[in-house]
């Protein structure tokens, strides 16, 4: 049990550190890109500046949401506060979509009234700095997401991963504009980046809604849960397995079929061992096991779902 508590504390610490790192990187890039835009007046750099600004707002929302999500269950929230992460992911999707709209408007304006890029070398230098910092951040966020399963940090990582492509596109836009002399290249790249951002926002919103709508865990995970439960000696079968992602962990509920001649104490001990197996396999999982005699004919969720 103490190992589970230690593991939970480590994952909570990783979540917090990932949010602090995200805010720090976004702050640094906003300052650098603002200076680059003022010198170059490049729409592509402006697109990256807008994205970094929304990154900062999204990262701040994520920081606050993770802090809220890590609060323990209380009298009014007996399932905990984990869904705060999914709400933060939805806010991120809104920020990303909004930045894409603003970028599209500016890009269209520049297509109608083209303007040359100045100080292209400075713009490229800032984008290279952005690539290095962003690559380091998403590497760390990836490790945190794998360790914790955090939806909010996963959403944060996705749009920072998109920043890598965006920054590379900005460099390409500056180089092509300087090589061809065509001012329209820069805003066209801006529109392409806006479309990429909109697609990313759609994916982030979909994942957040899966959590808020209590979507089941994947079939592979459900099969693993069933196999772990059936592996416990004394278990005859199981049914009505229900799961959901809670943002900071998951909930697992199932009906365990046992020998009807067992005493209540014996049945309870078997159920306890099944719960320990599942908590050991799924970090921060809340497990609820209902015991009943094998072969009992009762109203089952499985049957209702099957029609």
């Amino acid at each position: 049990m103490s190992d589970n508590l230690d593991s939970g504390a480590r994952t909570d610490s990783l979540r917090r550190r990932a949010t602090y790192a995200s805010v720090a990187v976004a702050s640094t890039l906003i300052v650098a890109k603002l200076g680059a835009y003022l010198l170059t007046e490049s729409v592509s750099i402006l697109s990256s500046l807008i994205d970094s600004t929304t990154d900062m707002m999204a990262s701040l929302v994520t920081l606050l949401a993770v802090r809220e999500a890590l609060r323990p269950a209380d009298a009014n929230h007996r399932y905990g506060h984990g869904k705060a992460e999914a709400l933060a992911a939805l806010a991120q999707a809104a920020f990303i979509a909004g930045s894409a709209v603003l970028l599209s408007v500016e890009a269209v304006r520049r297509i109608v009234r083209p303007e040359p890029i100045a100080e292209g070398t400075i713009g490229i230098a800032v984008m290279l700095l952005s690539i290095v910092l962003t690559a380091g951040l998403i590497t760390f966020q990836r490790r945190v997401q794998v360790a914790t399963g955090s939806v909010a940090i996963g959403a944060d990582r996705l749009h920072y991963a998109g920043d890598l492509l965006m920054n590379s596109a900005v460099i390409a836009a500056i180089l092509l504009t300087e090589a061809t002399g065509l001012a329209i290249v820069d805003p066209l790249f801006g529109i392409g980046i806006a479309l990429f951002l909109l697609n990313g926002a759609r994916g982030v919103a979909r994942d957040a809604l899966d959590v808020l709508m209590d979507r089941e865990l994947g079939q592979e995970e459900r099969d693993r849960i069933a196999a772990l439960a059936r592996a416990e000696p004394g278990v005859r079968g199981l049914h009505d397995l229900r799961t959901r992602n809670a943002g900071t962990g998951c909930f697992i509920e199932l009906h365990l079929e046992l020998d009807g001649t067992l005493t209540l104490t014996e049945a309870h001990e078997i159920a306890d061992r099944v719960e320990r197996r599942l908590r050991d396999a799924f970090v921060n999982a809340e497990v609820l096991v209902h015991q009943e005699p094998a072969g009992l004919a009762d109203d089952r969720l499985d049957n209702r779902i099957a029609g």
Side-chain angles (χ1 to χ4, degrees):
M1 186 68 175
S2 62
D3 288 343
N4 283 337
L5 291 175
D6 290 342
S7 177
R10 284 194 298 270
T11 58
D12 290 352
S13 176
L14 280 173
R15 278 187 171 91
R16 291 191 179 94
R17 286 163 56 192
T19 59
Y20 298 151
S22 179
V23 171
V25 168
S27 301
T28 302
L29 294 181
I30 285 173
V31 173
K33 291 176 182 179
L34 177 60
Y37 173 66
L38 293 176
L39 291 171
T40 65
E41 296 188 353
S42 163
V43 177
S44 294
I45 291 180
L46 175 62
S47 71
S48 193
L49 171 60
I50 291 173
D51 185 58
S52 289
T53 303
T54 58
D55 285 349
M56 165 63 94
M57 292 187 289
S59 294
L60 286 173
V61 169
T62 300
L63 187 154
L64 295 174
V66 167
R67 183 178 298 174
E68 176 70 16
L70 292 177
R71 289 175 55 200
D74 56 36
N76 294 320
H77 304 88
R78 294 179 186 269
Y79 284 99
H81 301 79
K83 286 189 176 182
E85 286 203 4
L87 292 173
L90 275 183
Q92 287 180 337
F95 285 138
I96 295 169
S99 69
V101 172
L102 290 174
L103 174 56
S104 298
V105 171
E106 178 61 15
V108 170
R109 187 185 74 80
R110 289 292 185 92
I111 289 175
V112 176
R113 301 176 62 182
E115 297 177 18
I117 293 177
E119 302 292 343
T121 303
I122 293 176
I124 291 175
V126 170
M127 291 302 103
L128 289 174
L129 171 66
S130 180
I131 287 173
V132 171
L133 292 178
T134 304
L137 175 63
I138 64 173
T139 299
F140 177 53
Q141 288 178 320
R142 174 61 179 168
R143 183 164 68 87
V144 173
Q145 185 190 10
V146 170
T148 67
S150 170
V151 178
I153 291 173
D156 213 33
R157 183 187 67 83
L158 281 174
H159 76 249
Y160 275 110
D163 286 354
L164 285 180
L165 177 59
M166 173 181 289
N167 294 326
S168 300
V170 171
I171 292 174
I174 293 173
L175 291 174
L176 284 173
T177 300
E178 291 187 338
T180 64
L182 297 174
I184 197 174
V185 171
D186 182 46
L188 286 177
F189 266 82
I191 290 176
I193 293 168
L195 293 174
F196 176 82
L197 288 173
L198 285 173
N199 184 62
R202 182 181 63 84
V204 169
R206 182 188 63 240
D207 292 342
L209 288 172
D210 282 347
V211 174
L212 293 173
M213 295 299 294
D214 293 333
R215 185 181 179 88
E216 284 285 329
L217 300 182
Q219 190 57 48
E220 182 178 342
E221 293 169 301
R222 285 176 53 82
D223 290 343
R224 184 182 177 204
I225 292 169
L228 286 168
R230 288 192 173 98
E232 178 62 37
V235 173
R236 297 283 187 86
L238 62 91
H239 60 270
D240 286 0
L241 170 61
R242 296 197 295 181
T243 62
R244 65 182 177 91
N245 190 333
T248 54
C250 65
F251 285 87
I252 301 172
E253 302 177 19
L254 58 89
H255 289 211
L256 205 61
E257 299 170 17
L258 305 173
D259 185 343
T261 63
L262 294 174
T263 65
L264 179 59
T265 298
E266 291 170 333
H268 176 71
E269 289 174 349
I270 293 174
D272 269 355
R273 290 196 294 271
V274 169
E275 289 178 355
R276 283 196 295 271
R277 280 176 179 264
L278 295 176
R279 283 195 296 267
D280 288 343
F282 294 85
V283 178
N284 290 337
E286 290 282 346
V287 184
L288 177 63
V289 173
H290 170 72
Q291 309 139 36
E292 62 182 58
L296 180 67
D298 59 354
D299 180 38
R300 297 185 178 183
L301 175 64
D302 289 345
N303 295 337
R304 295 199 299 271
I305 291 175

